[in-house]
Amino acid sequence: MNKIYCIMGKSSSGKDTLYKELTAQIPGLKTVTPYTTRPIREGESNGVEYHFVTEEELFRYGAEGKLIELRTYHTACGDWHYATVDDGQIDFSGADYIVIGTLASYEKMREYYGEGKVVPLYIEVDDADRLIRAVERERRQDAPRYDELCRRFLADKEDFSEDNLLKAGITRRYYNTDKAQCLDEIKREIRHGKL
């Protein structure tokens, strides 16, 4: 049975790096690219990390009944929308998929595609390490937004609270203190799903 593996975790836990490594190391693992209205960051490419769209484009998918889930964040830079869209990217007839998501997007995708089709990969990193990573990443931006970094960091505490993780049925964690070891554990999980 083919599955969607949903990588999630607090900001700066290394989700993007793990995602890129997994897609490079596991032949046939297809990606699902979410949508967002937030500005593109330095080093990102449209259609790779996200489909960067306008609000009008995103809401058109809603009018067409293609939104699997939609989240809005009231950021220091204005409202940013993130969504998973049923746009033909997913076809369970022969492939496994991987997507970066949130707890909310994971739950909505599980509801949409079915309990056994969506597998959570929750990435855990110590808060102090995450904060250092976040500041270093933000410092590299043309126009650093430390206020938004702080908002995201604090919001993660609530979004990924122990209660919320338990309600979503997430008990397994992949600790990203050693990237190679974390990757190996996730690859074993994906291979196990193939048995």
Side-chain angles (χ1 to χ4, degrees):
M1 177 171 71
N2 297 111
K3 301 177 192 282
I4 300 170
Y5 293 93
C6 184
I7 295 181
M8 66 191 110
K10 296 174 181 175
S11 59
S12 299
S13 58
K15 300 179 298 289
D16 292 325
T17 301
L18 292 168
Y19 175 85
K20 288 174 185 171
E21 292 280 345
L22 289 165
T23 57
Q25 294 181 26
I26 301 177
L29 186 62
K30 295 187 175 184
T31 60
V32 179
T33 307
Y35 289 70
T36 187
T37 61
R38 79 154 166 77
I40 192 168
R41 291 180 185 148
E42 188 176 324
E44 291 180 326
S45 301
N46 190 27
V48 178
E49 291 84 6
Y50 291 97
H51 292 290
F52 294 93
V53 296
T54 64
E55 280 190 11
E56 292 76 22
E57 290 172 296
L58 192 58
F59 294 140
R60 191 172 334 134
Y61 284 115
E64 295 169 0
K66 295 181 177 181
L67 283 181
I68 296 170
E69 59 89 23
L70 173 67
R71 292 158 281 125
T72 300
Y73 297 100
H74 307 292
T75 76
C77 307
D79 286 353
W80 291 347
H81 306 288
Y82 292 80
T84 306
V85 176
D86 188 355
D87 60 357
Q89 291 183 70
I90 297 172
D91 174 7
F92 287 112
S93 64
D96 283 323
Y97 293 86
I98 192 161
V99 63
I100 297 174
T102 64
L103 200 53
S105 67
Y106 161 71
E107 291 177 306
K108 289 288 189 179
M109 287 193 329
R110 185 180 61 185
E111 182 181 309
Y112 188 85
Y113 288 111
E115 186 78 30
K117 291 281 193 182
V118 186
V119 178
L121 301 172
Y122 181 67
I123 310 303
E124 182 87 28
V125 173
D126 176 74
D127 283 346
D129 292 335
R130 284 191 319 103
L131 186 56
I132 291 166
R133 289 179 185 183
V135 169
E136 288 173 354
R137 180 176 71 185
E138 198 63 32
R139 186 178 287 147
R140 291 190 301 267
Q141 301 300 311
D142 289 336
R145 291 301 311 253
Y146 297 108
D147 51 349
E148 176 54 21
L149 178 156
C150 292
R151 185 208 62 82
R152 272 196 329 265
F153 193 85
L154 294 172
D156 282 342
K157 184 175 182 176
E158 183 177 329
D159 293 345
F160 289 101
S161 70
E162 290 301 317
D163 284 345
N164 287 344
L165 290 169
L166 286 173
K167 284 178 194 170
I170 296 173
T171 55
R172 179 141 190 212
R173 293 155 198 254
Y174 298 87
Y175 294 92
N176 193 14
T177 49
D178 179 318
K179 184 179 80 170
Q181 182 177 343
C182 187
L183 275 169
D184 284 345
E185 289 177 20
I186 293 171
K187 287 191 289 188
R188 279 196 299 275
E189 172 68 29
I190 293 172
R191 280 192 217 106
H192 177 72
K194 290 292 216 182
L195 299 176

